Amino acid sequence: DIYKAMDAIALLGVELMRLNRDRQTKVLDRLVPLSTVANSLDVLLGEMLRQLKMIQGDAQTLPVDALEPWQLDSCTHALIVIESLQHRIAAAARRSVAASPELASLTDAVIYELSCRRGALSERVFRHLLVHFFEPSLLQWGRLPLHLCEQILSNEAQAPVMNAAAVAALRDCVFSLTRVPLCAGEQQQQTCR
């Protein structure tokens, strides 16, 4: 199952990002495993996208609403990890990230779907995201966790459907994420190497 593989490889990516701080190892040696994980996630996300497009048919939007919650979690985690890996690799190579329109459309569809499902998202879900998906080694290089939480919070402000505890946990996520120094921006990459 691609979703289980995606989750396992995303977890490997998180561990590699944590270990990537060893200054005694050459930069190139540190980037090879990161590139391998990023490429693996890219292949799995591409396969997921291909499957969704088969379901999509002539519809204008990707049918991520067909995904089970655990599949959506795996995809979200993989998107967070691949974004961080791509930015980390690009910063080390002193180049910009090549944006993939397919990944961007999948990311937008996932954010939209999570916003639509926000009424079913509990406090526990947001605490889980904060502890397991919003890993500091990833947050240093990616903006997706903050963008995701801000979008859900914005949609909730416009049309409230979440319980108070879930909203409070979501606000905690946004607060925590705004306190992390982000290095994914082009100008910031110079100072974060």
Side-chain angles (χ1 to χ4, degrees), residues 1-176:
D1 180 291
I2 63 170
Y3 298 98
K4 290 178 183 174
M6 225 184 308
D7 197 41
I9 293 173
L11 287 171
L12 177 62
V14 170
E15 287 303 313
L16 289 172
M17 288 290 282
R18 281 184 192 147
L19 298 172
N20 194 39
R21 297 177 181 174
D22 179 17
R23 299 284 180 208
Q24 295 178 2
T25 307
K26 292 181 187 176
V27 173
L28 184 60
D29 292 340
R30 288 185 282 165
L31 293 181
V32 169
L34 295 179
S35 295
T36 302
V37 169
N39 290 338
S40 298
L41 285 174
D42 191 46
V43 167
L44 290 169
L45 287 165
E47 176 58 22
M48 179 192 151
L49 195 56
R50 188 190 67 75
Q51 289 178 9
L52 286 173
K53 284 184 177 183
M54 286 175 44
I55 296 169
Q56 178 183 15
D58 294 333
Q60 294 296 314
T61 59
L62 287 173
V64 291
D65 58 336
L67 297 177
E68 295 291 327
W70 69 271
Q71 293 170 320
L72 193 58
D73 284 350
S74 293
C75 179
T76 303
H77 195 205
L79 288 167
I80 290 168
V81 172
I82 197 168
E83 178 198 43
S84 297
L85 289 170
Q86 288 173 338
H87 282 283
R88 174 64 184 104
I89 293 163
R94 293 191 166 101
R95 59 180 169 83
S96 61
V97 174
S100 161
E102 292 83 19
L103 275 183
S105 102
L106 180 59
T107 300
D108 291 344
V110 165
I111 290 172
Y112 175 77
E113 184 59 28
L114 284 169
S115 286
C116 289
R117 294 184 189 189
R118 71 185 183 279
L121 301 177
S122 66
E123 173 188 13
R124 193 174 134 260
V125 169
F126 291 108
R127 302 282 180 218
H128 175 78
L129 289 173
L130 191 59
V131 171
H132 297 288
F133 286 17
F134 302 164
E135 166 66 35
S137 62
L138 298 176
L139 297 176
Q140 180 182 3
W141 298 99
R143 296 183 186 278
L144 180 55
L146 180 59
H147 178 62
L148 169 68
C149 289
E150 285 178 336
Q151 189 62 50
I152 294 171
L153 193 57
S154 173
N155 290 342
E156 180 63 17
Q158 294 173 12
V161 294
M162 296 169 63
N163 68 49
V167 172
L170 176 57
R171 285 188 180 128
D172 288 349
C173 286
V174 171
F175 177 80
S176 296

